Amino acid sequence: MPDMGAHVTRRRVEITRFHGMLTASPIMLEMFELLRRVARTEASILIRGETGTGKELVARAVHALSGRADGPFRALNCATLTPEMLASELFGHVRGAFTGAVKDRPGLFALADTGTLFLDEVAEIPVDIQARLLRVLQEHSFVPVGAIEPARVDVRLVAATHRSLRAAVEASQFRADLMYRIRVVPLFLPALRDRPGDIEALAWHFIDHFNGDELRRVEAVSEETMRALLEYRWPGNVRELRNVLEYAFAVGQGPVLTVDELTPELRGERPPEPAERSQLTARDLERERIIEALNKAGGRKGDAAELLGISRSTLWRKLREHRLSGPPR
Ligand SMILES: Nc1ncnc2c1ncn2[C@@H]1O[C@H](COP(=O)(O)OP(=O)(O)OP(=O)(O)O)[C@@H](O)[C@H]1O
Ligand SMILES: [Mg+2]
């Protein structure tokens, strides 16, 4: 049997599941708590988070936990449509409103009546449509394109953005009054790299998922692979992690996920070290590695020792040597 090198199997960490989201990270648990509380109100929520952090899952959770759960949930990505299409999607149109409008078409405000409307990439809405959106939120009624009579509507708005709405306001791309309307409760969704424990927990979650396809059964991950997963910045967040594992399942085989099965970005050369780093002593580097491992292990010394490939007692000794050992935790 070929030597596969050292590998890691699943650690026993506490995992919380919440409306399709999974986490091992306290910062996410706090967010879930806040979400549970605000979902019951009628307040407009603005979710801010990088791409792939789970903004749509959060919006769905708000709906499911609200008094509107039995009503419809509708979602729209505002960044992908022309202004004309966006207006027609949101407010609908009547027959003959423009060439090609051969019959009445209800917009999302009508379709989401008594439920929740999720507007993704809300910062990308053109200014003239922002004015119409504001009017709907203030007056609880809207006029479909080409219609004369306003229609009443009862919709709770949840919006999301990957960039700062305040910055968009400052750049005169977004109306301040609309920002205050839709950002009654701002929810910040941290990037995957900022959720201690989640890269590993979600990696195993997706491994379980793809094991279910029965094309391949992964039981362990090589140490090098786990290190690469933990060190990568994940600009595409949870979606990217899922895609990377799907790729590994597709190109690789056997029970151990190896580093050559990762996508090129993850295997990529690390950026060249800045010049001053070459002045660092071996001792400084060791200290840095220990701090990094402790961070990755969320402060758990046993896990940090495992990451470093040293025993717990060696880690304790090194913590004392580097004056890193605080009071017992
Ligand atoms: N905590 C989580 N646990 C499990 N799966 C998750 C989690 N967060 C996100 N996902 C999954 O990651 C993918 C991206 O999530 P989602 O579409 O909600 O992100 P998003 O923030 O709306 O992304 P975008 O900015 O690109 O619209 C989905 O497949 C979702 O199911
Ligand atoms: Mg989305």
Side-chain angles (χ1 to χ4, degrees):
M1 192 177 136
D3 180 11
M4 297 289 217
H7 55 252
V8 288
T9 49
R10 194 179 307 255
R11 287 191 283 176
R12 235 180 297 241
V13 285
E14 190 155 340
I15 304 242
T16 302
R17 286 165 200 272
F18 186 80
H19 294 269
M21 287 169 275
L22 171 154
T23 195
S25 167
I27 183 173
M28 288 293 283
L29 296 180
E30 271 172 38
M31 213 269 307
F32 293 163
E33 243 345 282
L34 177 60
L35 213 156
R36 210 191 287 278
R37 271 179 279 130
V38 299
R40 286 194 291 262
T41 73
E42 284 283 293
S44 300
I45 296 179
L46 179 69
I47 308 160
R48 167 100 187 266
E50 291 180 10
T51 181
T53 45
K55 297 188 291 293
E56 180 145 357
L57 288 179
V58 167
R60 286 180 186 278
V62 168
H63 176 70
L65 289 163
S66 74
R68 297 173 172 270
D70 292 334
F73 175 90
R74 293 287 175 147
L76 179 68
N77 186 329
C78 303
T80 55
L81 300 172
T82 63
E84 295 72 30
M85 282 165 75
L86 185 58
S88 160
E89 277 291 321
L90 286 172
F91 312 113
H93 59 247
V94 295
R95 180 170 164 232
F98 47 83
T99 351
V102 289
K103 54 180 182 182
D104 287 8
R105 182 171 185 272
L108 287 172
F109 270 105
L111 294 170
D113 195 29
T114 73
T116 308
L117 177 58
F118 173 51
L119 296 183
D120 202 353
E121 300 302 357
V122 74
E124 312 313 316
I125 297 183
V127 175
D128 55 325
I129 297 181
Q130 289 174 26
R132 299 171 67 177
L133 185 56
L134 182 65
R135 219 168 310 128
V136 184
L137 298 175
Q138 283 170 341
E139 291 162 21
H140 305 284
S141 71
F142 66 99
V143 183
V145 180
I148 298 160
E149 286 299 306
R152 287 206 64 76
V153 69
D154 168 27
V155 164
R156 196 237 189 119
L157 191 73
V158 177
T161 174
H162 73 275
R163 64 188 180 108
S164 156
L165 218 48
R166 190 169 288 282
V169 168
E170 273 156 22
S172 306
Q173 293 159 347
F174 205 85
R175 296 176 64 116
D177 45 8
L178 181 59
M179 174 181 76
Y180 292 118
R181 274 274 165 183
I182 66 179
R183 205 194 56 169
V184 176
V185 180
L187 272 186
F188 182 70
L189 209 45
L192 179 59
R193 62 182 168 279
D194 296 328
R195 303 178 195 174
D198 271 13
I199 295 175
E200 193 169 342
L202 283 163
W204 287 112
H205 166 70
F206 291 126
I207 287 171
D208 287 341
H209 175 81
F210 293 119
N211 274 343
D213 295 345
E214 289 178 10
L215 288 168
R216 177 180 182 189
R217 200 157 178 93
V218 169
E219 310 281 359
V221 174
S222 83
E223 268 183 4
E224 202 183 344
T225 306
M226 188 52 85
R227 206 176 313 128
L229 295 178
L230 291 171
E231 279 172 6
Y232 185 59
R233 277 187 63 75
W234 300 107
N237 294 287
V238 184
R239 181 184 297 109
E240 187 181 15
L241 176 59
R242 185 196 148 97
N243 290 348
V244 162
L245 289 164
E246 186 168 18
Y247 175 89
F249 268 75
V251 301
Q253 52 184 348
V256 179
L257 209 148
T258 57
V259 75
D260 54 302
E261 294 160 5
L262 296 179
T263 49
E265 306 85 77
L266 275 108
R267 283 184 280 120
E269 296 282 293
R270 302 193 65 186
E273 312 251 304
E276 67 269 27
R277 279 187 69 87
S278 57
Q279 312 297 319
L280 294 180
T281 63
R283 194 183 145 80
D284 293 333
L285 287 172
E286 182 180 75
R287 190 171 197 276
E288 266 189 25
R289 279 185 54 223
I290 291 172
I291 293 172
E292 200 180 300
L294 279 168
N295 281 338
K296 275 182 197 154
R300 289 179 298 272
K301 299 198 176 73
D303 294 345
E306 202 177 304
L307 277 176
L308 290 160
I310 59 181
S311 71
R312 262 166 199 267
S313 54
T314 307
L315 178 62
W316 277 107
R317 180 167 54 73
K318 288 186 183 295
L319 288 172
R320 276 196 306 275
E321 277 172 22
H322 290 285
R323 301 194 173 279
L324 288 169
S325 53
R329 40 190 293 162

PDB file of all heavy atoms in Angstrom, residues 294-309:
ATOM      1  N   LEU A 294      -2.532  28.563  17.242  1.00  0.00           N
ATOM      2  CA  LEU A 294      -3.505  28.813  18.316  1.00  0.00           C
ATOM      3  C   LEU A 294      -4.723  29.543  17.763  1.00  0.00           C
ATOM      4  O   LEU A 294      -5.861  29.240  18.124  1.00  0.00           O
ATOM      5  CB  LEU A 294      -2.863  29.654  19.424  1.00  0.00           C
ATOM      6  CG  LEU A 294      -2.007  28.881  20.429  1.00  0.00           C
ATOM      7  CD1 LEU A 294      -1.206  29.857  21.283  1.00  0.00           C
ATOM      8  CD2 LEU A 294      -2.865  27.980  21.310  1.00  0.00           C
ATOM      9  N   ASN A 295      -4.477  30.490  16.880  1.00  0.00           N
ATOM     10  CA  ASN A 295      -5.596  31.209  16.269  1.00  0.00           C
ATOM     11  C   ASN A 295      -6.479  30.256  15.497  1.00  0.00           C
ATOM     12  O   ASN A 295      -7.699  30.285  15.601  1.00  0.00           O
ATOM     13  CB  ASN A 295      -5.087  32.300  15.325  1.00  0.00           C
ATOM     14  CG  ASN A 295      -4.635  33.525  16.091  1.00  0.00           C
ATOM     15  OD1 ASN A 295      -5.060  33.728  17.219  1.00  0.00           O
ATOM     16  ND2 ASN A 295      -3.774  34.312  15.488  1.00  0.00           N
ATOM     17  N   LYS A 296      -5.823  29.409  14.699  1.00  0.00           N
ATOM     18  CA  LYS A 296      -6.596  28.475  13.873  1.00  0.00           C
ATOM     19  C   LYS A 296      -7.385  27.500  14.722  1.00  0.00           C
ATOM     20  O   LYS A 296      -8.459  27.061  14.356  1.00  0.00           O
ATOM     21  CB  LYS A 296      -5.658  27.680  12.968  1.00  0.00           C
ATOM     22  CG  LYS A 296      -5.356  28.430  11.705  1.00  0.00           C
ATOM     23  CD  LYS A 296      -4.477  27.591  10.840  1.00  0.00           C
ATOM     24  CE  LYS A 296      -3.821  28.447   9.797  1.00  0.00           C
ATOM     25  NZ  LYS A 296      -2.567  27.866   9.356  1.00  0.00           N
ATOM     26  N   ALA A 297      -6.814  27.130  15.857  1.00  0.00           N
ATOM     27  CA  ALA A 297      -7.477  26.144  16.714  1.00  0.00           C
ATOM     28  C   ALA A 297      -8.472  26.819  17.652  1.00  0.00           C
ATOM     29  O   ALA A 297      -8.984  26.187  18.560  1.00  0.00           O
ATOM     30  CB  ALA A 297      -6.428  25.376  17.501  1.00  0.00           C
ATOM     31  N   GLY A 298      -8.717  28.097  17.429  1.00  0.00           N
ATOM     32  CA  GLY A 298      -9.661  28.823  18.279  1.00  0.00           C
ATOM     33  C   GLY A 298      -9.213  28.820  19.732  1.00  0.00           C
ATOM     34  O   GLY A 298     -10.028  28.820  20.642  1.00  0.00           O
ATOM     35  N   GLY A 299      -7.893  28.794  19.966  1.00  0.00           N
ATOM     36  CA  GLY A 299      -7.353  28.864  21.319  1.00  0.00           C
ATOM     37  C   GLY A 299      -7.214  27.507  22.011  1.00  0.00           C
ATOM     38  O   GLY A 299      -6.664  27.426  23.108  1.00  0.00           O
ATOM     39  N   ARG A 300      -7.717  26.432  21.378  1.00  0.00           N
ATOM     40  CA  ARG A 300      -7.619  25.109  22.010  1.00  0.00           C
ATOM     41  C   ARG A 300      -6.210  24.567  21.839  1.00  0.00           C
ATOM     42  O   ARG A 300      -5.768  24.301  20.725  1.00  0.00           O
ATOM     43  CB  ARG A 300      -8.648  24.149  21.418  1.00  0.00           C
ATOM     44  CG  ARG A 300     -10.079  24.471  21.837  1.00  0.00           C
ATOM     45  CD  ARG A 300     -11.055  23.506  21.197  1.00  0.00           C
ATOM     46  NE  ARG A 300     -11.016  23.621  19.745  1.00  0.00           N
ATOM     47  CZ  ARG A 300     -11.765  24.479  19.055  1.00  0.00           C
ATOM     48  NH1 ARG A 300     -12.627  25.254  19.658  1.00  0.00           N
ATOM     49  NH2 ARG A 300     -11.662  24.540  17.737  1.00  0.00           N
ATOM     50  N   LYS A 301      -5.499  24.411  22.954  1.00  0.00           N
ATOM     51  CA  LYS A 301      -4.082  24.043  22.875  1.00  0.00           C
ATOM     52  C   LYS A 301      -3.874  22.649  22.307  1.00  0.00           C
ATOM     53  O   LYS A 301      -2.934  22.408  21.540  1.00  0.00           O
ATOM     54  CB  LYS A 301      -3.423  24.181  24.245  1.00  0.00           C
ATOM     55  CG  LYS A 301      -3.494  25.622  24.760  1.00  0.00           C
ATOM     56  CD  LYS A 301      -2.504  25.881  25.860  1.00  0.00           C
ATOM     57  CE  LYS A 301      -2.534  27.346  26.267  1.00  0.00           C
ATOM     58  NZ  LYS A 301      -3.746  27.711  27.037  1.00  0.00           N
ATOM     59  N   GLY A 302      -4.777  21.718  22.657  1.00  0.00           N
ATOM     60  CA  GLY A 302      -4.640  20.354  22.125  1.00  0.00           C
ATOM     61  C   GLY A 302      -4.697  20.372  20.599  1.00  0.00           C
ATOM     62  O   GLY A 302      -3.888  19.739  19.913  1.00  0.00           O
ATOM     63  N   ASP A 303      -5.646  21.126  20.088  1.00  0.00           N
ATOM     64  CA  ASP A 303      -5.801  21.209  18.630  1.00  0.00           C
ATOM     65  C   ASP A 303      -4.627  21.934  17.993  1.00  0.00           C
ATOM     66  O   ASP A 303      -4.167  21.580  16.908  1.00  0.00           O
ATOM     67  CB  ASP A 303      -7.098  21.942  18.279  1.00  0.00           C
ATOM     68  CG  ASP A 303      -8.326  21.159  18.720  1.00  0.00           C
ATOM     69  OD1 ASP A 303      -8.164  19.955  19.021  1.00  0.00           O
ATOM     70  OD2 ASP A 303      -9.420  21.737  18.762  1.00  0.00           O
ATOM     71  N   ALA A 304      -4.140  22.978  18.688  1.00  0.00           N
ATOM     72  CA  ALA A 304      -2.998  23.726  18.147  1.00  0.00           C
ATOM     73  C   ALA A 304      -1.774  22.811  18.068  1.00  0.00           C
ATOM     74  O   ALA A 304      -1.033  22.831  17.082  1.00  0.00           O
ATOM     75  CB  ALA A 304      -2.705  24.944  19.023  1.00  0.00           C
ATOM     76  N   ALA A 305      -1.576  21.981  19.101  1.00  0.00           N
ATOM     77  CA  ALA A 305      -0.444  21.048  19.096  1.00  0.00           C
ATOM     78  C   ALA A 305      -0.567  20.102  17.914  1.00  0.00           C
ATOM     79  O   ALA A 305       0.404  19.828  17.195  1.00  0.00           O
ATOM     80  CB  ALA A 305      -0.407  20.260  20.413  1.00  0.00           C
ATOM     81  N   GLU A 306      -1.788  19.648  17.674  1.00  0.00           N
ATOM     82  CA  GLU A 306      -2.023  18.739  16.558  1.00  0.00           C
ATOM     83  C   GLU A 306      -1.692  19.412  15.222  1.00  0.00           C
ATOM     84  O   GLU A 306      -1.048  18.829  14.363  1.00  0.00           O
ATOM     85  CB  GLU A 306      -3.492  18.316  16.583  1.00  0.00           C
ATOM     86  CG  GLU A 306      -3.778  17.022  15.866  1.00  0.00           C
ATOM     87  CD  GLU A 306      -5.253  16.663  16.005  1.00  0.00           C
ATOM     88  OE1 GLU A 306      -5.726  16.562  17.163  1.00  0.00           O
ATOM     89  OE2 GLU A 306      -5.907  16.521  14.976  1.00  0.00           O
ATOM     90  N   LEU A 307      -2.116  20.664  15.091  1.00  0.00           N
ATOM     91  CA  LEU A 307      -1.816  21.413  13.864  1.00  0.00           C
ATOM     92  C   LEU A 307      -0.316  21.560  13.647  1.00  0.00           C
ATOM     93  O   LEU A 307       0.179  21.506  12.523  1.00  0.00           O
ATOM     94  CB  LEU A 307      -2.414  22.822  13.945  1.00  0.00           C
ATOM     95  CG  LEU A 307      -3.874  23.007  13.573  1.00  0.00           C
ATOM     96  CD1 LEU A 307      -4.281  24.459  13.830  1.00  0.00           C
ATOM     97  CD2 LEU A 307      -4.094  22.679  12.107  1.00  0.00           C
ATOM     98  N   LEU A 308       0.403  21.749  14.749  1.00  0.00           N
ATOM     99  CA  LEU A 308       1.839  21.964  14.642  1.00  0.00           C
ATOM    100  C   LEU A 308       2.588  20.639  14.507  1.00  0.00           C
ATOM    101  O   LEU A 308       3.785  20.620  14.231  1.00  0.00           O
ATOM    102  CB  LEU A 308       2.344  22.712  15.882  1.00  0.00           C
ATOM    103  CG  LEU A 308       1.895  24.178  15.984  1.00  0.00           C
ATOM    104  CD1 LEU A 308       2.019  24.682  17.415  1.00  0.00           C
ATOM    105  CD2 LEU A 308       2.701  25.051  15.040  1.00  0.00           C
ATOM    106  N   GLY A 309       1.860  19.546  14.736  1.00  0.00           N
ATOM    107  CA  GLY A 309       2.496  18.237  14.662  1.00  0.00           C
ATOM    108  C   GLY A 309       3.432  17.978  15.828  1.00  0.00           C
ATOM    109  O   GLY A 309       4.431  17.274  15.699  1.00  0.00           O
TER     110      GLY A 309
END
